[in-house]
Amino acid sequence: MQDDLRNKESARAKTRLEINYPPGTNAAVLSDLCMGCGDCAAVCPSDLIALDADRFPVVSALENCGRCGLCADVCSHGAIEFNDATLAGLRMTLATERQMSNRLLLK
């Protein structure tokens, strides 16, 4: 019985490594850090992040992810961390938002 459970857990862990997680996610520690709050999914501007059956974030089309870094920015438990690509993306996103805000203020 315990061998069956171990085999199931091992297969599940292997499958977890093959899933598209948000950039900056370490699949090996995801189950320890992710609380399944869904903040990352709520903030994704491209609506690419959803929670799977275990309430872990998955990206439906990683090739369409702009690596804006917003998911890492709102992850308060460290399940999604900034990496070089998401930090650069977040800087670009914030700069664009500042420019848009300035334009609105000047009108």
Side-chain angles (χ1 to χ4, degrees):
M1 181 77 168
Q2 286 183 346
D3 287 337
D4 288 339
L5 184 59
R6 282 190 199 128
N7 289 339
K8 239 183 192 177
E9 287 176 8
S10 177
R12 191 177 207 177
K14 183 179 178 187
T15 302
R16 286 235 164 269
L17 296 175
E18 298 166 357
I19 296 173
N20 288 330
Y21 293 109
T25 303
N26 182 344
V29 295
L30 184 63
S31 62
D32 295 332
L33 298 175
C34 182
M35 299 292 120
C37 66
D39 287 349
C40 54
V43 75
C44 180
S46 301
D47 202 27
L48 295 174
I49 301 175
L51 298 182
D52 67 8
D54 295 322
R55 301 204 47 83
F56 293 126
V58 294
V59 178
S60 59
L62 195 55
E63 65 276 5
N64 294 333
C65 174
R67 283 149 181 82
C68 66
L70 292 175
C71 55
D73 191 41
V74 299
C75 184
S76 59
H77 298 285
I80 305 173
E81 297 182 343
F82 287 107
N83 59 24
D84 291 341
T86 55
L87 273 174
L90 184 62
R91 285 186 194 109
M92 189 170 60
T93 299
L94 294 175
T96 301
E97 287 181 359
R98 273 193 299 276
Q99 288 174 351
M100 291 173 64
S101 293
N102 288 339
R103 286 183 195 150
L104 290 174
L105 291 174
L106 295 175
K107 285 186 176 183

